């Protein structure tokens, strides 16, 4: 092949995390030549610094907690976790931060991998700077897909860089448990890492600027998780805004706006995410560097006919499973447009394409928080549904009313809520909090995404005696309200 032919592809994908991999998988399956550019590890944030390592750390914690609630077993699991074994298991699940397996997978689907930093250098053009400084230009016939995800966002505290704070990456890849850990934040990363490191032996202090934990879920979710963290020995402070952080002789000192002073060996800031678009060459195509990329429901960047932004970078739903869902749709849309066929979805110019659009991003996004107890939700909270103008009613049920919950664990504690649209009699949202509820959420996702009428849900009979019987209790509570 000539140099020009070597660098010409149907599709160029920036970022080889789960989202980029799925875009490439779909475009290659459609017969489109595809290049993938990655500056770090193939497999991305989820594989090495987020989903996989965090859940590997948390699974032993949750399993021990469950065992402690089972008669005949509880007395056998009162000792501490084997921290070294847990960390070794975490390392195994991240393949020791080696991406050979994922590289082989890319090769297996026929995608070409370019190692280095990719930047847009004009329409349908990407310049890749390799680790050795060499440059190569890739040109896309049909589409460039930006799948670069997000990075941790640190607050603008003076001297914070000198403190060498943890972000989610350090929290999931640390080689030892710090004796003392301060966690700043109250959302998912904060509560999951507080759960994990407390169980692995760290003294943990959580400083939350707001009034409670998990502010994007129903209020009772944060309340139940906060209660459990406190019972586990976490020092939880709400209404505590960190004003200064220093490191003195290896000790981190954090001072809040109330003048309270906290010391630790490490400090984790779990205070939000920012798009990895600041050095992506967006300015070369009329977009703002560092911005979130706004897209239509086929994941095409608004105002363009060739640029796609898929996954966290478009700010629709910052979750790996939603990003992979978007990637499947984007890949199908790119392939359909490349072949001249109607692409799935409805585009910015209003043409009808069919049913396959990222509609779940709007009304049926599921999420599980892997704390003890777990918190799981899909769709809209009561407050969100009301703000959206729906006439709704929330129905709550305590899991203590469910026979299967009592069999799952002695003293099972948790709550379920469904948010019912009173005009259409469908579910707008469902939230579960309790041990093991992460495995319940897909049933709720099907009900919300499928807009299943309550009259049909009565005929979806839950098996007895399982925790799923909470569905019957929820329907009965709505009927009797």
């Amino acid at each position: 092949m000539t140099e020009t032919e070597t660098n010409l592809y149907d599709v160029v994908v920036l970022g080889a995390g789960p989202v980029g991999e799925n875009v490439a998988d779909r475009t290659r399956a459609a017969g489109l030549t595809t290049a993938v550019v990655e500056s770090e590890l193939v497999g991305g944030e989820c594989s090495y610094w987020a989903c996989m390592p965090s859940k590997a750390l948390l699974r032993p914690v949750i399993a021990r907690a469950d065992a402690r609630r089972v008669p005949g077993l509880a007395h056998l699991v009162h000792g501490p976790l084997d921290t070294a074994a847990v960390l070794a298991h975490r390392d195994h699940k991240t393949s020791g931060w080696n991406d050979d397996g994922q590289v082989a997978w890319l090769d297996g689907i026929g995608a070409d991998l370019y190692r280095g930093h990719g930047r847009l250098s004009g329409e349908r053009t990407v310049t890749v700077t390799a680790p050795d400084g060499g440059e190569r230009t890739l040109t896309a016939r049909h589409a460039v897909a930006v799948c670069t995800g997000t990075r941790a966002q640190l607050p603008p505290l003076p001297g914070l860089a000198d403190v060498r704070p943890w972000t989610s990456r350090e929290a999931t890849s640390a080689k030892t448990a710090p004796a003392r850990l301060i966690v700043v934040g109250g959302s998912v990363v904060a509560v999951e890492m507080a759960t994990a490191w407390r169980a692995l032996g760290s003294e943990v202090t959580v400083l939350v600027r707001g009034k409670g934990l998990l502010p994007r879920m129903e209020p009772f979710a944060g309340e139940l998780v906060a209660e459990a963290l406190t019972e586990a020995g976490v020092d939880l402070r709400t209404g505590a805004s960190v004003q200064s952080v220093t490191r003195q002789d290896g000790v981190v000192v954090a001072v809040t706006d109330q003048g309270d002073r906290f010391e630790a060996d490490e400090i984790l800031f779990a205070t939000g995410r920012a798009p990895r678009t600041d050095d992506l060459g967006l300015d070369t195509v009329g977009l703002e560097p560092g911005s979130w990329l706004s897209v239509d429901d086929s994941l095409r960047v608004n105002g363009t006919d060739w640029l796609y932004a898929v996954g966290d970078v478009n700010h629709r739903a910052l979750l790996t499973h939603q990003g992979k869902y978007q990637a499947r749709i984007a890949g199908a849309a790119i392939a359909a447009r490349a072949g001249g066929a109607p692409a799935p979805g409805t585009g910015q110019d209003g043409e009808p394409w069919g049913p396959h659009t990222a509609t779940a991003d709007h009304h049926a996004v599921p999420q599980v928080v892997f704390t003890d107890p777990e918190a799981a939700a899909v769709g809209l909270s009561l407050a969100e549904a009301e703000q959206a103008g729906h006439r709704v009613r929330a129905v709550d049920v305590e899991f203590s009313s469910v026979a299967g919950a009592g069999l799952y664990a002695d003293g099972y504690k948790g709550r379920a809520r469904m948010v019912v649209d009173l005009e259409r009699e469908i579910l707008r949202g469902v939230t579960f909090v309790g041990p093991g509820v992460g495995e319940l959420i897909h049933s709720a996702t099907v009900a919300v995404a499928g807009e299943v009428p309550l009259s049909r849900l009565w005929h979806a009979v839950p098996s007895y005696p399982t925790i799923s019987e909470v569905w019957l209790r929820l329907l009965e509570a709505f009927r009797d309200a």
Side-chain angles (χ1 to χ4, degrees):
M1 288 186 177
T2 66
E3 185 75 7
T4 301
E5 289 173 330
T6 301
N7 291 280
L8 181 62
Y9 292 89
D10 292 321
V11 181
V12 177
V13 179
L14 289 174
V19 174
E21 288 176 326
N22 273 269
V23 172
D25 190 35
R26 291 305 168 104
T27 56
R28 283 298 300 130
L32 301 180
T33 58
T34 303
V36 179
V37 182
E38 177 54 55
S39 61
E40 294 185 296
L41 295 175
V42 176
E45 198 80 14
C46 176
S47 298
Y48 305 104
W49 298 288
C51 324
M52 296 304 291
S54 67
K55 302 319 170 276
L57 292 173
L58 285 159
R59 178 57 192 151
V61 178
I62 294 171
R64 181 181 67 168
D66 282 346
R68 285 177 168 176
R69 302 183 185 104
V70 178
L73 183 60
H75 69 285
L76 299 176
V77 287
H78 279 299
L81 290 171
D82 184 338
T83 300
V86 173
L87 296 179
H89 177 64
R90 183 271 319 268
D91 293 352
H92 172 70
K93 289 300 180 182
T94 60
S95 301
W97 291 272
N98 180 294
D99 65 359
D100 287 350
Q102 293 301 105
V103 172
W105 179 86
L106 269 184
D107 184 62
I109 66 169
D112 290 347
L113 172 64
Y114 289 84
R115 297 277 195 180
H117 179 67
R119 298 181 81 255
L120 293 167
S121 48
E123 186 171 320
R124 294 183 172 85
T125 304
V126 173
T127 298
V128 183
T129 303
D132 63 4
E135 290 190 349
R136 193 162 193 176
T137 298
L138 309 177
T139 302
R141 292 186 185 92
H142 301 297
V144 174
V146 177
C147 309
T148 50
T150 60
R151 55 176 172 79
Q153 186 172 43
L154 294 172
L157 293 174
L160 183 58
D162 297 330
V163 175
R164 304 182 304 282
W166 279 9
T167 65
S168 54
R169 284 196 169 194
E170 290 77 19
T172 57
S173 62
K175 300 302 182 185
T176 59
R180 298 170 299 173
L181 173 66
I182 296 172
V183 178
V184 182
S187 293
V188 178
V189 172
V191 296
E192 287 190 347
M193 290 299 94
T195 299
W197 289 112
R198 176 61 192 135
L200 291 170
S202 300
E203 293 182 10
V204 177
T205 301
V206 177
L207 304 178
V208 186
R209 182 174 59 183
K211 296 180 180 179
L213 302 178
L214 302 176
R216 296 188 178 183
M217 298 183 103
E218 298 284 8
F220 69 82
E223 291 165 5
L224 289 171
V225 171
E227 182 181 317
L229 284 173
T230 301
E231 289 177 357
V234 172
D235 184 3
L236 176 61
R237 307 291 183 99
T238 57
S241 178
V242 176
Q243 298 297 298
S244 69
V245 181
T246 57
R247 188 181 287 270
Q248 305 167 5
D249 298 325
V251 176
V252 175
V253 178
V255 180
T256 70
D257 54 350
Q258 302 299 314
D260 295 322
R261 185 177 187 273
F262 300 91
E263 294 186 356
D265 300 283
E266 302 291 351
I267 185 167
L268 162 62
F269 279 89
T271 48
R273 309 289 296 180
R276 294 183 64 183
T277 60
D278 48 329
D279 189 20
L280 205 60
L282 294 183
D283 54 308
T284 69
V285 294
L287 297 171
E288 182 182 351
S291 65
W292 302 99
L293 297 177
S294 179
V295 298
D296 65 18
D297 278 352
S298 70
L299 293 312
R300 186 169 57 176
V301 173
N302 293 329
T304 76
D305 63 0
W306 59 274
L307 185 62
Y308 292 73
V310 193
D312 287 5
V313 75
N314 62 38
H315 208 230
R316 287 164 69 106
L318 276 64
L319 295 160
T320 296
H321 47 274
Q322 291 299 122
K324 292 166 70 174
Y325 159 75
Q326 293 176 14
R328 296 189 291 271
I329 290 166
I334 291 168
R337 289 182 175 126
T346 300
Q348 57 204 31
D349 50 359
E351 81 271 22
W353 306 333
H356 304 294
T357 55
T359 55
D361 292 341
H362 303 305
H363 73 281
V365 175
Q367 181 175 22
V368 179
V369 184
F370 292 86
T371 45
D372 176 40
E374 291 177 348
V378 63
L380 304 178
S381 67
L382 174 62
E384 289 170 338
E386 291 175 338
Q387 290 167 6
H390 301 299
R391 191 167 68 88
V392 293
R393 181 196 305 160
V395 177
D396 290 3
V397 166
E398 298 296 323
F399 272 99
S400 58
S401 67
V402 178
L407 290 170
Y408 185 94
D410 263 7
Y412 189 108
K413 185 175 182 180
R415 185 180 304 171
R417 166 174 289 183
M418 66 181 189
V419 178
V420 180
D421 186 311
L422 296 175
E423 294 179 356
R424 298 185 60 195
E425 290 206 341
I426 60 172
L427 301 184
R428 291 291 178 181
V430 179
T431 299
F432 300 124
V433 181
V437 298
E439 298 300 334
L440 285 180
I441 200 59
H442 191 62
S443 58
T445 302
V446 171
V448 173
E451 298 184 343
V452 181
L454 293 189
S455 60
R456 291 303 306 159
L457 282 178
W458 278 104
H459 299 283
V461 183
S463 298
Y464 181 88
T466 67
I467 302 175
S468 294
E469 200 180 11
V470 71
W471 280 106
L472 178 57
R473 301 283 89 84
L474 285 166
L475 291 169
E476 289 172 340
F478 179 74
R479 178 199 61 192
D480 297 340

